[in-house]
């Protein structure tokens, strides 16, 4: 394999690693996937280092030539399990039968640019918020109200998240707007319990999976990645609480 093709392959491997991190993949999974794909393409040795904000890949071929590339990763800390599964399938197919770099880039971009079915996102947000509100002690009416507010959360995820500069600002704005609407709804319908409605909607924003992955990373030895993810998750949780608290204070002054 020529030097240009090796460099193109490294770029493709960095792209698939970035997509996996952005889809909620664990650090170990990303490292293992890149290493296996590199070995399947004919590399003699692969050294892969991944943290949540950076990927470094060094490939050594059978002639002793070494190629290294680094990619800065700006993840949205989201969870796209369908896309993650498609990337896993792509990596397995490549390991069984490697394709050209151009074909690999095309397949990666096809996964990156595919359109999501927003119906299931809205339906899942409504159903999840409703279930959590009732589970934590709310009435059926509280569940209905929480489910409707869950639709608002899904709407903000779809349209507000892409224009926010980072996850902190998005969570702060989303939690404030949702909490404020919940407080106004509870005033219009005094029989509703605002706290139960908020609990259901908060559960849609809490970074539970990133926090769990951070503990897993620490336990398997990826201390840096685990600490970064844990810190980010705790900051996001604190911002969500601050947003709802600010909304309650603002609504109380009306």
């Amino acid at each position: 394999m020529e030097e240009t093709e090796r460099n193109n392959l490294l770029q493709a491997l960095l792209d698939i690693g970035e997509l996996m991190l952005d889809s909620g993949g664990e650090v170990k999974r990303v490292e293992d996937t890149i290493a296996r794909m590199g070995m399947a393409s004919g590399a003699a040795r692969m050294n892969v280092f991944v943290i949540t904000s950076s990927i470094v890949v060094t490939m050594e071929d059978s002639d002793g030539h070494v190629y290294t590339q680094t990619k800065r990763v700006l993840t949205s800390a989201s969870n796209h399990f369908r896309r993650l599964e498609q990337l896993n399938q792509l990596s397995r197919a490549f390991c069984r039968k490697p394709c050209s770099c151009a074909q690999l880039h095309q397949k990666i971009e096809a996964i990156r640019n595919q359109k999501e079915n927003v119906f299931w996102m809205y339906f899942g947000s409504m159903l999840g918020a409703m279930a959590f509100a009732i589970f934590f002690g709310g009435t059926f009416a509280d569940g209905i109200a929480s489910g409707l507010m869950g639709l608002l959360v899904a709407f903000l995820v779809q349209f507000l998240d892409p224009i926010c500069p980072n996850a902190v600002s998005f969570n702060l704005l989303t939690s404030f707007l949702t909490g404020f609407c919940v407080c106004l709804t509870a005033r219009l319908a005094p029989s509703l319990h605002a706290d139960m409605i908020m609990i259901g909607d908060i559960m849609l924003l809490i970074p539970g999976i990133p926090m769990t992955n951070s503990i897993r990373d620490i336990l398997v030895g990826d201390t840096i990645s685990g600490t970064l993810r844990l810190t980010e998750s705790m900051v996001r949780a604190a911002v969500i609480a601050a947003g709802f608290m600010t909304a309650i204070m603002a609504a109380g002054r009306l």
Side-chain angles (χ1 to χ4, degrees):
M1 187 180 291
E2 297 180 356
E3 181 178 353
T4 302
E5 194 169 356
R6 284 287 185 194
N7 288 323
N8 289 336
L9 176 62
L10 279 178
Q11 292 176 6
L13 296 181
L14 290 170
D15 287 342
I16 196 172
E18 178 188 30
L19 270 181
M20 292 181 73
L21 283 177
D22 189 52
S23 302
E26 314 93 66
V27 168
K28 277 292 184 184
R29 180 195 296 265
V30 176
E31 290 180 341
D32 184 66
T33 297
I34 294 176
R36 288 177 181 272
M37 293 178 70
M39 296 297 291
S41 67
R45 180 178 297 177
M46 291 290 296
N47 292 305
V48 185
F49 177 72
V50 178
I51 58 177
T52 55
S53 57
S54 179
I55 303 176
V56 182
V57 181
T58 298
M59 176 188 292
E60 182 179 342
D61 62 18
S62 56
D63 296 328
H65 298 127
V66 177
Y67 308 89
T68 300
Q69 288 193 23
T70 304
K71 191 177 187 68
R72 177 74 167 92
V73 180
L74 299 174
T75 62
S76 61
S78 57
N79 298 298
H80 295 279
F81 295 129
R82 180 178 299 175
R83 188 168 68 183
L84 185 60
E85 177 59 27
Q86 291 174 342
L87 292 169
N88 286 331
Q89 292 176 357
L90 174 60
S91 66
R92 295 189 187 103
F94 182 87
C95 289
R96 288 192 300 268
K97 185 179 180 181
C99 58
S100 66
C101 294
Q103 291 175 328
L104 183 58
H105 275 293
Q106 289 177 354
K107 293 177 181 179
I108 293 173
E109 290 305 312
I111 295 175
R112 186 199 301 272
N113 297 323
Q114 67 178 347
K115 293 184 178 180
E116 297 290 336
N117 190 340
V118 296
F119 168 79
W120 292 111
M121 180 182 71
Y122 280 90
F123 179 76
S125 297
M126 180 183 68
L127 187 62
M130 181 186 303
F132 276 118
I134 297 175
F135 176 80
F136 285 108
T139 63
F140 184 76
D142 296 333
I144 295 295
S146 185
L148 294 177
M149 291 300 159
L151 294 177
L152 172 63
V153 173
F155 175 83
L156 294 174
V157 168
Q158 183 180 5
F159 294 101
L160 184 60
D161 189 20
I163 63 176
C164 283
N166 51 58
V168 172
S169 59
F170 166 73
N171 281 284
L172 181 62
L173 287 173
T174 301
S175 57
F176 174 79
L177 293 174
T178 304
F180 192 77
C181 290
V182 169
C183 291
L184 292 182
T185 302
R187 282 199 172 189
L188 294 175
S191 60
L192 296 176
H193 303 89
D195 53 346
M196 295 294 106
I197 300 174
M198 285 186 185
I199 287 176
D201 295 317
I202 286 175
M203 297 303 294
L204 299 179
L205 298 172
I206 290 296
I209 294 177
M211 190 173 294
T212 303
N213 285 342
S214 69
I215 301 300
R216 181 187 182 278
D217 289 340
I218 292 174
L219 293 177
V220 299
D222 293 319
T223 309
I224 298 176
S225 299
T227 303
L228 289 173
R229 265 187 176 158
L230 181 61
T231 303
E232 181 184 3
S233 298
M234 294 181 68
V235 170
R236 289 176 60 190
V239 167
I240 292 169
F244 276 97
M245 181 178 66
T246 306
I248 294 172
M249 295 173 60
R253 294 192 179 100
L254 294 179

